[in-house]
Amino acid sequence: MFYVIGLGLGDPEDITVKGLNIIKQCERVYLESYTSILSCGQEKLEEFYNRKLILADREMVEQRADEILEGTENKTVAFLVVGDPFGATTHTDLLLRAKEKGIQTSVVHNASIMNAVGCCGLQLYHFGETISIPYWDDSWKPDSFYDKIDANLKHGLHTLCLLDIKVKEPTLESLMKKKREYMPPRFMSVSEAAGQLLEIVRNKSTDDGNKDDHHKLTENSLLVGLARVGHESQQIVACSLRDMKNADLGPPLHSLIIPNGRLHPLETEFLQQFAELDLQKT
């Protein structure tokens, strides 16, 4: 059997009883390490599970999946994922590969940022399509995700923005060498994401005469920044896009929410505790 097990939001004890019992019975246990991170670290997990974990980076999962699945026809192997197993398409691909090989599979679900964002008081059934905001560089500044934000706002829906992380990314120079070298890990903050959104908003304003209304993202639009959701050090702040650029929510992981322009009264009341402005007047 090949198990894909969700670990929840990051604390070793977030794993389900079912997931923990399976881990104890497995021949091999892999820990996926690039679509998200655990702030507690691999060592704490190994201590809690009382067993060694094999770190599975992007290269292993995407290029050496057969190595992970090897022997699962007659052995039990687990693949551990931060959050829920279906939070990333990579994990879906791994399950499909297993099925193609005739390997039995099973999934153990857990909490993820996709549902835990309700901690800020915005109601989950008011969310539209989730987007990812990638890091920009000097020659590559994609903004196609903005169209999805715009569509969500027009339909009165909130937008959850998942922020880019870079773990074990090879340097451009090393790609031309036989020996790879990797860039230091990077985790996008709400401040960095807001800075990129501000640039897009200003460009769009110039292009189409964007007006400050409930159906457009502007510098004055309300945003919600979240950090380390599910941890004791969790932080939430609600402020304008312009002010979010200066927000410091500490260590990763961060997420960003762009609420719709017309909050439900209960959403406004709950969100007010995190706000740096009077939401009743926005």
Side-chain angles (χ1 to χ4, degrees):
M1 180 73 76
F2 178 64
Y3 288 97
V4 182
I5 301 173
L7 299 182
L9 294 167
D11 189 283
E13 296 181 9
D14 284 347
I15 192 168
T16 62
V17 174
K18 180 179 180 181
L20 183 57
N21 287 336
I22 291 170
I23 288 173
K24 291 177 179 178
Q25 300 168 13
C26 287
E27 299 272 350
R28 302 193 308 274
V29 182
Y30 294 89
L31 174 62
E32 192 263 279
S33 66
Y34 75 91
T35 59
S36 189
I37 61 162
L38 282 172
S39 60
C40 64
Q42 180 179 347
E43 295 78 13
K44 288 284 184 68
L45 288 181
E46 291 179 333
E47 181 181 347
F48 185 72
Y49 302 155
N50 194 29
R51 66 167 306 149
K52 282 288 185 182
L53 304 177
I54 304 167
L55 205 61
D57 58 18
R58 178 190 293 270
E59 184 178 324
M60 173 179 279
V61 178
E62 294 185 348
Q63 300 178 26
R64 292 162 30 220
D66 289 345
E67 182 179 323
I68 297 172
L69 298 172
E70 184 179 357
T72 47
E73 297 87 348
N74 48 38
K75 294 180 181 178
T76 303
V77 174
F79 185 79
L80 311 184
V81 176
V82 179
D84 185 81
F86 290 115
T89 54
T90 297
H91 311 139
T92 305
D93 179 67
L94 195 57
L95 284 164
L96 288 173
R97 287 171 180 259
K99 289 184 179 293
E100 287 174 0
K101 293 177 175 291
I103 298 167
Q104 286 187 297
T105 63
S106 182
V107 172
V108 181
H109 294 282
N110 210 319
S112 76
I113 191 64
M114 301 291 285
N115 52 33
V117 290
C119 64
C120 70
L122 297 177
Q123 297 167 5
L124 292 179
Y125 50 82
H126 287 166
F127 278 79
E129 184 173 356
T130 298
I131 68 155
S132 296
I133 299 181
Y135 272 117
W136 284 355
D137 59 35
D138 293 337
S139 60
W140 191 66
K141 295 187 175 184
D143 63 1
S144 57
F145 58 82
Y146 181 84
D147 292 336
K148 296 177 182 179
I149 296 173
D150 197 37
N152 282 342
L153 288 173
K154 287 177 180 176
H155 289 92
L157 300 170
H158 311 313
T159 305
L160 169 61
C161 307
L162 304 179
L163 309 187
D164 201 3
I165 68 173
K166 300 288 187 184
V167 179
K168 204 173 180 182
E169 293 282 330
T171 62
L172 184 61
E173 296 80 5
S174 73
L175 290 174
M176 303 176 184
K177 303 176 183 178
K178 291 184 179 180
K179 185 178 179 180
R180 287 199 172 187
E181 297 173 350
Y182 299 96
M183 295 183 286
R186 296 173 65 198
F187 307 94
M188 184 181 287
S189 67
V190 294
S191 173
E192 291 173 303
Q196 292 185 184
L197 285 171
L198 271 173
E199 186 171 331
I200 294 172
V201 165
R202 288 164 181 166
N203 289 339
K204 297 287 184 182
S205 298
T206 302
D207 293 341
D208 58 16
N210 187 12
K211 295 180 180 179
D212 187 3
D213 59 32
H214 291 297
H215 304 296
K216 289 287 186 180
L217 184 64
T218 74
E219 295 185 20
N220 297 316
S221 294
L222 173 67
L223 265 67
V224 181
L226 306 97
R228 301 172 302 284
V229 171
H231 297 264
E232 291 183 2
S233 63
Q234 172 179 299
Q235 285 196 38
I236 303 173
V237 63
C239 61
S240 69
L241 171 57
R242 182 176 55 252
D243 291 338
M244 189 65 75
K245 186 178 184 299
N246 300 316
D248 182 3
L249 291 163
L253 289 169
H254 291 194
S255 301
L256 195 65
I257 301 173
I258 301 171
N260 66 39
R262 300 184 184 279
L263 298 180
H264 185 280
L266 287 177
E267 292 178 308
T268 301
E269 182 179 355
F270 198 98
L271 195 58
Q272 185 66 60
Q273 64 188 297
F274 311 116
E276 298 179 358
L277 67 166
D278 187 350
L279 298 183
Q280 301 286 356
K281 296 179 180 179
T282 60

